[in-house]
Amino acid sequence: MVQTAIPFHFFRGGTSRGPYFRRADLPEDRETLARVLVAAVGSGHKLNIDGIGGGAAVTTKVAMLSRSEAEGCDIDYFFAQVSVEDGLVDFKPTCGNILSGVGPAALEMGLIAPQGDVTRIRIRSVNTGAKVEAVVRTPGGEVEYDGDAAIDGVPGTAAPIFLNFMDVVGSSTGALLPTGALRDVIDGIEVTCMDVAMPICIARAADFGLTGYETIEELDANRDFYARMEPIRLEAGRRMGMGDVSKSVTPKFAMLAPPRNGGTVTARYFMPWNCHPTMAVTGAQCLASCVLTPGTVAEGLFTPPEGSPALVLIEHPGGAIDVTVDYETGPDGFVLKSAGLLRTARLLARGEVMVPAGVWAGR
């Protein structure tokens, strides 16, 4: 039986990587779509040996694009997190790093026309409803990839892509603080459950007997930590109104510690069953909001930045990521207006990815 060929563009977006498809080139129903994505990525093997995944959660991500019919939006971005080994696909979260490549990919696919030397693309996240403006350099009507912008976790430099996030508070749960409290205690650990771009259960590293400066390898080898963290995450998901999250990558989990290298705060971000090598763009927005909200578990770990917009520099295992947060505080507490980040992206390959014909047919 012949295989099914699916056109795709292969991008590095921020510090993640994966295939970008036209939504129209994929199955409509979620069950068949999940099977196709698992086959394309090669989920089910730690090296994704039978697909184009990279054997890590940051390299088994998928973007699906289409022209948007939503008012004020140009492109719909539908994200899927494919597991490395379990053959699972989670359509609940979004990914800000993969989002970094959506503007260039939409231009490369002809879903939107360049607007001159700079193209502003209004993107709607199908998964969360959030709206983001991506600013992409397009001199001569072509996407520019070379430039002098550097982001930690990616070698070299590239053209800057500016992302301005709006309408991200309560993106998954409908509330900044889904449990209704600035702090909760779960299994003896104090946490803040917050939903800004990504729902996260946030704790202090010291409460787990950790410094917060551990390497990725040290944390991932510490299975006692994961054995303690996962029940807390599951209960946090229940309290946040997300139901049974045992097979979902959300809510994520993060630990905070004082900064060591001149930043605002140090963080370790979990995806959630291993440590992120750098920091998720969506996670960075939520952690920055946690930092700026009085009374959360972040309080006392740092000197709060003053004024708005505030620059929050989050130190992570690969360096640091900065988030510019436009916000205000008042009787209703912390109110986020927008969060801006600088990212880069690069087109790595394009062509067709092949999946067994029986996968699409359900055989």
Side-chain angles (χ1 to χ4, degrees):
M1 184 179 293
V2 298
Q3 297 196 84
T4 300
I6 309 171
F8 79 113
H9 287 67
F10 200 57
F11 269 87
R12 173 189 62 77
T15 56
S16 295
R17 191 191 74 195
Y20 289 61
F21 298 104
R22 283 176 173 263
R23 183 67 182 93
D25 291 334
L26 294 167
E28 188 62 34
D29 72 281
R30 295 285 180 92
E31 184 177 342
T32 307
L33 175 61
R35 289 198 305 268
V36 168
L37 297 184
V38 164
V41 167
S43 177
H45 185 278
K46 64 181 181 180
L47 298 178
N48 302 139
I49 201 69
D50 201 34
I52 61 173
V58 294
T59 60
T60 54
K61 300 184 176 188
V62 177
M64 296 160 279
L65 311 185
S66 57
R67 291 189 178 93
S68 182
E69 295 182 359
E71 183 178 355
C73 297
D74 303 307
I75 298 296
D76 277 354
Y77 157 50
F78 183 33
F79 171 74
Q81 177 68 66
V82 183
S83 68
V84 176
E85 297 187 64
D86 300 329
L88 300 174
V89 181
D90 196 346
F91 295 110
K92 291 181 182 178
T94 189
C95 175
N97 274 302
I98 289 295
L99 172 63
S100 307
V102 168
L107 288 158
E108 296 280 3
M109 292 177 183
L111 293 173
I112 188 171
Q115 301 163 357
D117 289 345
V118 174
T119 300
R120 296 178 178 271
I121 303 162
R122 300 166 300 177
I123 301 165
R124 180 180 76 98
S125 168
V126 173
N127 306 71
T128 66
K131 295 179 181 178
V132 184
E133 181 187 61
V135 183
V136 181
R137 291 182 179 178
T138 51
E142 300 288 338
V143 178
E144 182 175 76
Y145 295 105
D146 291 336
D148 56 6
I151 59 173
D152 288 336
V154 177
T157 61
I161 295 172
F162 294 97
L163 301 176
N164 189 34
F165 291 79
M166 299 160 284
D167 303 328
V168 291
V169 173
S171 58
S172 294
T173 65
L176 172 70
L177 300 167
T179 70
L182 285 163
R183 302 190 190 201
D184 292 272
V185 177
I186 303 177
D187 292 351
I189 298 290
E190 204 167 38
V191 300
T192 291
C193 297
M194 184 169 280
D195 182 7
V196 177
M198 177 67 68
I200 308 179
C201 177
I202 307 164
R204 291 181 295 260
D207 290 347
F208 285 91
L210 300 170
T211 65
Y213 313 125
E214 287 82 3
T215 65
I216 305 164
E217 293 76 16
E218 288 170 339
L219 287 168
D220 284 350
N222 188 349
R223 301 322 296 178
D224 288 341
F225 161 70
Y226 281 95
R228 192 175 183 198
M229 177 267 278
E230 181 64 1
I232 295 173
R233 189 187 76 87
L234 296 181
E235 175 61 16
R238 187 190 68 78
R239 294 190 189 186
M240 295 167 82
M242 301 176 70
D244 179 4
V245 298
S246 57
K247 293 184 179 180
S248 176
V249 298
T250 57
K252 296 295 201 299
F253 194 89
M255 294 191 305
L256 300 179
R260 289 202 302 178
N261 300 307
T264 307
V265 72
T266 295
R268 295 294 184 264
Y269 181 80
F270 300 89
M271 301 187 288
W273 303 297
N274 52 16
C275 183
H276 199 293
T278 54
M279 174 58 62
V281 168
T282 47
Q285 294 170 69
C286 191
L287 295 181
S289 300
C290 183
V291 162
L292 295 170
T293 303
T296 70
V297 294
E299 194 168 66
L301 295 178
F302 56 89
T303 301
E306 296 182 1
S308 178
L311 179 65
V312 178
L313 186 65
I314 301 171
E315 298 175 4
H316 57 66
I321 184 172
D322 57 88
V323 187
T324 301
V325 182
D326 187 8
Y327 73 103
E328 60 185 30
T329 55
D332 297 326
F334 176 85
V335 178
L336 176 70
K337 296 179 180 178
S338 65
L341 297 96
L342 182 150
R343 297 277 86 188
T344 66
R346 188 168 76 87
L347 176 63
L348 304 177
R350 60 186 167 204
E352 296 175 331
V353 62
M354 313 301 290
V355 299
V359 171
W360 198 303
R363 292 191 292 271

